[in-house]
Amino acid sequence: MTLRFYDTASAEVRDFVPLVEGKASLYYCGATVQGMPHVGHIRSAIAFDQLTRWLQYRGLRVTVVRNVTDIDDKILAKSEASFAPDFSPEPGEVAGEEWWALAYRYEQEFLKAYDALGVSRPTYEPRATGHIPEMHALIQQLIDRGHAYPALDGSGDVYFDVRSWSKYGSLTRQNIDDMQAAPDADPRGKRDPRDFALWKGSKTGEPATASWASPWGAGRPGWHLECSAMVTKYLGTEFDIHGGGLDLRFPHHENELAQSQAAGHPFANFWMHNGMVTYQGEKMSKSIGNTVSPAEMLELAPPRVVRYYLGQAHYRSVLDYRPTSLQEAAAAVERIDGFIAKATAKLGTDFGFVAGTSGSSPDTLSAFSAAMDDDLNVPRALAALHETVRAGNTALAEGNDDAARLAMYTVAVMTDVLGLNAVAGSDAGNSKEAAALDVLVQAQLEARAAARAEKNWAASDAIRDTLNQAGVVVEDGPDGATWSLKRD
């Protein structure tokens, strides 16, 4: 196999060779838990979940770290606003909520969304507030190496000196003189307006709970510093892949890279960034009312359909949402499920849906595997999946059980790699509730078959109509009737 991924830093697709044979290390930026998850957060998580699953399928033991930024200016501002006498909470907001309670509550909302859409839990999910000593150590390293300095105005801030690092701007290929000023602290304490905060001194009126003692005065960490400190703790000073949304390249990832390498750390071997989600070609914005949240999508379609939609485009491309997007995704999932249901009814599931299995015929997964190896090309992989579904349906129609069984197995492997078998509720076929439903529906189908044998068409139609009203679709075939649940 030759895995190849696009590296943002080198702006080219390169062969992926793990730093440690048989293992892979991945860090991708999680949420700043200041509010409910938006669709961009979830698309990013699904993209890196697909990457993780493919690396695992290719036989690598993957360590995944996804951080939680649980201390931030916006978190503090939202908490402060909730105590105002005229505060009028919007849906999901709570009046009089401490910053740490707000952060924890929204962190749980992110976990609910990740779980609902089958995003695997990472190996480690560290919170920024749990790694203050590691951040202090990194700041001191940078000061000792001449790349950081305490604020000139005695505010307690500590800044990274961007002009001390000749490679600053290399990730996004920018000239430092063309960059805007860093907006993270009062510029009076900086040598250069572009210097960014590593440590933020406490300000009047801020809660004491949002401040930690440090050699430079009480305060809290800067956003960029948090990730560098946490990834180093869990993956070391050099690791395979750093991921995140395209909007994080600058300033966040540029600053991460600069401060980490300035501290003497080789840092990430690959930088991978997923594209944004738009609404009918335009950037989503609350101000113009064209946003759609994961929660709203889940009200419109089942979780597997939402995951299919959010994971169907190439991870580096823009994913455009249209009012018909979920309907189209639902039709695609229906085709997959329809084949699986018919094949299961006829052939059973002797092999099971085994995650990560690669023991099928040498040719059945070749197109899918080639697509995934080629910079995680999910659109091509999905084309191979649907071609297998079509071939499987043809095999069933022709009575070629061996070909149908192999197609069924291959589809199961592909959907497992894409995470479509991991979505909440997707394993319902193995649940007690589903088993009970199958017994009841099969009893009705047997009664209908008996009525048809007696040419009692009225009774047969009545059973079918009753099942249809209950949301059960009956399909007659040469081997008898099969059933499935209606899709919304």
Side-chain angles (χ1 to χ4, degrees), residues 66 96 108 124 141 144 158 169 177 195 282 305 320 330 434 436 467:
R66 180 181 68 210
Q108 299 311 302
Y124 307 107
Q141 277 184 286
D144 293 344
V158 181
D177 292 318
D195 293 346
E282 296 184 354
V305 170
D320 192 44
L467 290 172

Side-chain angles (χ1 to χ4, degrees), residues 115-136:
D115 288 346
L117 294 171
V119 176
S120 303
R121 292 288 179 99
T123 314
Y124 307 107
E125 192 162 20
R127 298 187 182 105
T129 54
H131 297 78
I132 302 299
E134 290 84 357
M135 297 175 198
H136 288 170

Side-chain angles (χ1 to χ4, degrees), residues 439-458:
V439 169
L440 294 173
V441 174
Q442 290 295 346
Q444 291 297 303
L445 293 181
E446 289 174 8
R448 178 172 174 268
R452 287 165 64 87
E454 297 172 359
K455 300 188 185 308
N456 188 346
W457 309 119

Side-chain angles (χ1 to χ4, degrees), residues 18-286:
L19 295 169
V20 179
E21 186 177 356
K23 297 182 180 180
S25 46
L26 165 64
Y27 181 96
Y28 71 94
C29 287
T32 297
V33 286
Q34 57 166 312
M36 296 292 286
H38 62 64
V39 69
H41 293 133
I42 305 305
R43 189 211 174 172
S44 183
I46 288 174
F48 291 106
D49 186 55
Q50 290 174 333
L51 172 63
T52 300
R53 290 171 181 275
W54 186 244
L55 293 171
Q56 290 171 334
Y57 179 84
R58 280 309 196 188
L60 297 173
R61 181 178 176 184
V62 187
T63 301
V64 181
V65 181
R66 180 181 68 210
N67 73 298
V68 176
T69 298
D70 61 340
I71 180 70
D72 178 83
D73 290 348
K74 293 179 180 178
I75 293 173
L76 295 179
K78 281 199 169 185
S79 172
E80 181 181 5
S82 76
F83 285 92
D86 59 347
F87 178 70
S88 179
E90 296 181 1
E93 294 183 333
V94 177
E97 189 170 31
E98 298 287 352
W99 69 268
W100 45 267
L102 181 150
Y104 181 76
R105 181 168 59 81
Y106 283 127
E107 179 185 342
Q108 299 311 302
E109 293 297 332
F110 273 85
L111 289 175
K112 287 179 188 176
Y114 293 148
D115 288 346
L117 294 171
V119 176
S120 303
R121 292 288 179 99
T123 314
Y124 307 107
E125 192 162 20
R127 298 187 182 105
T129 54
H131 297 78
I132 302 299
E134 290 84 357
M135 297 175 198
H136 288 170
L138 180 55
I139 293 172
Q140 191 61 57
Q141 277 184 286
L142 291 168
I143 292 174
D144 293 344
R145 294 171 72 97
H147 296 297
Y149 61 93
L152 305 178
D153 62 355
S155 62
D157 296 344
V158 181
Y159 297 106
F160 182 85
D161 184 350
V162 295
R163 292 193 181 275
S164 74
W165 185 244
S166 62
K167 298 179 182 178
Y168 188 70
S170 61
L171 182 66
T172 50
R173 287 171 287 286
Q174 296 185 80
N175 184 296
I176 190 170
D177 292 318
D178 297 330
M179 296 179 185
Q180 295 180 338
D184 51 7
D186 194 319
R188 292 177 301 177
K190 300 181 181 183
R191 294 175 182 169
D192 188 293
R194 301 162 189 83
D195 293 346
F196 59 88
L198 301 171
W199 187 256
K200 297 184 176 185
S202 295
K203 306 295 188 295
T204 302
E206 292 180 346
T209 53
S211 181
W212 290 263
S214 86
W216 314 281
R220 63 181 186 275
W223 175 35
H224 315 300
L225 180 82
E226 298 172 352
C227 284
S228 289
M230 288 188 283
V231 69
T232 300
K233 175 169 183 175
Y234 293 97
L235 297 180
T237 58
E238 186 174 13
F239 55 99
D240 289 309
I241 300 170
H242 193 310
L246 195 64
D247 58 326
L248 297 178
R249 286 185 308 164
F250 188 87
H252 185 47
H253 289 167
E254 188 73 72
N255 292 350
E256 266 193 79
L257 177 62
Q259 67 197 9
S260 297
Q261 290 191 337
H265 305 161
F267 215 55
N269 191 25
F270 275 78
W271 287 86
M272 297 177 67
H273 292 95
N274 65 276
M276 302 294 99
V277 184
T278 58
Y279 190 102
Q280 292 185 295
E282 296 184 354
K283 181 179 178 180
M284 287 191 182
S285 171
K286 286 186 178 180

Side-chain angles (χ1 to χ4, degrees), residues 363-372 377-391 407 410-411 414 418:
D363 296 330
T364 56
L365 288 170
S366 59
F368 182 88
S369 298
M372 296 295 284
N377 195 322
V378 171
R380 277 175 44 203
L382 284 171
L385 167 60
H386 286 290
E387 178 57 36
T388 307
V389 167
R390 285 190 289 271
T410 305
V411 167
M414 292 175 177
L418 296 173

